[in-house]
Amino acid sequence: MSGNGNAGNAAATAEENGSKMKVIRVGTRKSQLARIQTDSVVAMLKALYPGLQFEIIAMSTTGDKILDTALSKIGEKSLFTKELEYALEKNEVDLVVHSLKDLPTVLPPAFTIGAICKRENPCDAVVFHPKFVGKTLETLPEKSTVGTSSLRRAAQLQRKFPHLEFKSIRGNLNTRLRKLDEQHEFSAIILAVAGLQRMGWQNRVGQILHPEECMYAVGQGALAVEVRAKDQDILDLVGVLHDPETLLRCIAERAFLRHLEGGCSVPVAVHTVIKDGQLYLTGGVWSLDGSDSMQETMQATIHVPTQYDGPEDDPQLVGITALNIPRGAQLAAENLGISLASLLLNKGAKNILDVARQLNDVH
């Protein structure tokens, strides 16, 4: 999974430690997508540690319960994680599987992200109402309503497709698709490609929005495993799941968001690529209606590790612990994110974000 030469040895040691624990308890949200994602991580762990038992414990989070308010209005950074972290703190579970994009860039001090799995397609997709199948956003009729729970998507797409109207839609994937198909309020909805693929609903994807049309959320398409920061046995156990390329891209993205002090109440988006030892990060900020925007691209030299080079006793970066990935590469990725955020802030991005925050609070 991780491309590390000594992943097998690390797995063997972790399994030895893990065998003292008898059953590894894995926390997850209750939605079908969350369960599918958790099952996929547990399957990888079972393949690595055939001698261990895993028990999945599902629970509801604040974000699952508050369904009548736009996410950006609730003003809570850990909407989909707080209850799971509480169970982790109380030692009711040993690790928790999240969509990385749901995890704030600053975690409570007792927790860390112990693994970031290989990223799936991070782009957004358009799912059309049955009567508009075959259309694109460009060819939808004037004043068609498009549903999205994300300010980031709405801001970028309003700018690109001014003939459309964008409206908040909440609920898990099943609920949103049902609202689209059974009510006549929405002509289309925007969802993450990765979620649709994991649910086996690729056939509903009517259009994939490439980064030139709509950049994605920080960490979108990647799964994260959150653990107790001081639980070395579990850290060793899950650490072999780190995908080096995904990890470095997501460190850069999270550092960018953290330095901008962005969250789900402001439109911030990214696009990352690693090519020929270079990590390219494009980041942007938008006003709520998309009329004002700013984006830039920077790059840094980064060598994606193929060889495990021994443990390093280093603190976390943007909430992530990856002791089996060279520290220099991680720091280069973090510095790239900070540098790009600083560049945008120096060019006036803070004003765009402040206005977006104020307007979001008012409406």
Side-chain angles (χ1 to χ4, degrees):
M1 188 56 210
S2 66
N4 297 335
N6 277 17
N9 295 355
T13 310
E15 180 161 23
E16 213 171 280
N17 296 338
S19 61
K20 302 170 202 158
M21 303 175 225
K22 299 192 179 99
V23 176
I24 310 293
R25 298 153 307 163
V26 183
T28 178
R29 285 166 63 193
K30 281 184 174 170
S31 77
Q32 187 185 354
L33 176 60
R35 290 300 304 261
I36 287 170
Q37 293 180 166
T38 300
D39 287 347
S40 74
V41 171
V42 168
M44 286 189 277
L45 288 170
K46 278 181 173 168
L48 285 163
Y49 310 114
L52 291 184
Q53 295 285 105
F54 293 87
E55 179 191 354
I56 295 174
I57 298 167
M59 54 197 91
S60 293
T61 66
T62 309
D64 296 315
K65 292 169 191 160
I66 306 174
L67 293 175
D68 55 353
T69 310
L71 291 180
S72 58
K73 296 272 187 269
I74 303 169
E76 167 64 69
K77 274 203 173 103
S78 48
L79 273 179
F80 295 111
T81 60
K82 198 192 278 179
E83 285 79 358
L84 296 166
E85 284 175 341
Y86 184 72
L88 203 50
E89 185 182 22
K90 293 285 172 216
N91 213 12
E92 292 165 7
V93 296
D94 301 300
L95 56 108
V96 174
V97 178
H98 302 280
S99 292
L100 179 59
K101 70 174 180 179
D102 290 339
L103 279 170
T105 56
V106 179
L107 295 184
F111 309 117
T112 188
I113 297 166
I116 296 179
C117 305
K118 189 173 175 61
R119 187 178 219 166
E120 293 192 41
N121 186 335
C123 293
D124 290 315
V126 188
V127 178
F128 292 93
H129 185 280
K131 72 176 178 188
F132 291 119
V133 167
K135 294 271 190 195
T136 63
L137 288 181
E138 205 162 354
T139 59
L140 276 177
E142 190 84 20
K143 298 262 185 286
S144 293
T145 301
V146 177
T148 173
S149 56
S150 153
L151 295 179
R152 168 191 63 81
R153 291 168 178 153
Q156 292 181 82
L157 295 173
Q158 257 176 314
R159 184 183 178 94
K160 197 135 188 99
F161 305 102
H163 70 292
L164 301 176
E165 294 181 354
F166 292 85
K167 191 177 169 190
S168 177
I169 183 169
R170 288 290 318 282
N172 60 39
L173 284 191
N174 309 57
T175 305
R176 286 189 234 180
L177 277 178
R178 195 164 58 248
K179 283 181 183 174
L180 171 69
D181 291 344
E182 294 175 9
Q183 300 167 10
H184 292 282
E185 189 179 355
F186 298 102
S187 302
I189 57 176
I190 315 292
L191 299 168
V193 171
L196 289 163
Q197 286 177 335
R198 289 177 188 134
M199 294 286 278
W201 293 341
Q202 295 91 325
N203 64 322
R204 291 302 308 263
V205 175
Q207 179 181 4
I208 289 181
L209 297 170
H210 298 289
E212 313 79 65
E213 299 168 291
C214 187
M215 289 200 290
Y216 40 84
V218 165
Q220 185 159 308
L223 298 181
V225 182
E226 188 179 17
V227 301
R228 288 179 289 274
K230 291 193 162 58
D231 192 339
Q232 198 54 52
D233 285 348
I234 294 288
L235 265 170
D236 291 342
L237 189 86
V238 302
V240 291
L241 295 180
H242 269 307
D243 177 68
E245 189 166 313
T246 303
L247 170 80
L248 296 173
R249 288 171 63 191
C250 291
I251 285 177
E253 293 173 16
R254 285 171 66 81
F256 172 71
L257 184 64
R258 181 195 271 189
H259 199 68
L260 280 179
E261 294 182 342
C264 64
S265 61
V266 288
V268 174
V270 293
H271 171 47
T272 48
V273 179
I274 292 181
K275 195 177 175 195
D276 302 328
Q278 296 287 311
L279 172 55
Y280 297 86
L281 169 64
T282 302
V285 301
W286 286 260
S287 58
L288 289 189
D289 65 359
S291 60
D292 205 359
S293 77
M294 190 178 286
Q295 62 185 75
E296 293 286 348
T297 302
M298 290 178 82
Q299 68 193 81
T301 301
I302 215 149
H303 295 293
V304 179
T306 52
Q307 198 63 38
Y308 178 66
D309 63 352
E312 290 189 44
D313 187 19
D314 284 310
Q316 327 176 20
L317 294 181
V318 285
I320 301 162
T321 300
L323 301 181
N324 53 347
I325 307 293
R327 183 74 173 169
Q330 294 185 58
L331 287 170
E334 184 190 41
N335 289 336
L336 176 63
I338 293 168
S339 299
L340 185 63
S342 300
L343 175 64
L344 287 180
L345 289 170
N346 289 340
K347 294 179 80 169
K350 189 175 188 314
N351 186 45
I352 297 176
L353 293 174
D354 285 347
V355 171
R357 262 191 206 97
Q358 288 158 7
L359 283 174
N360 186 50
D361 290 343
V362 170
H363 290 303

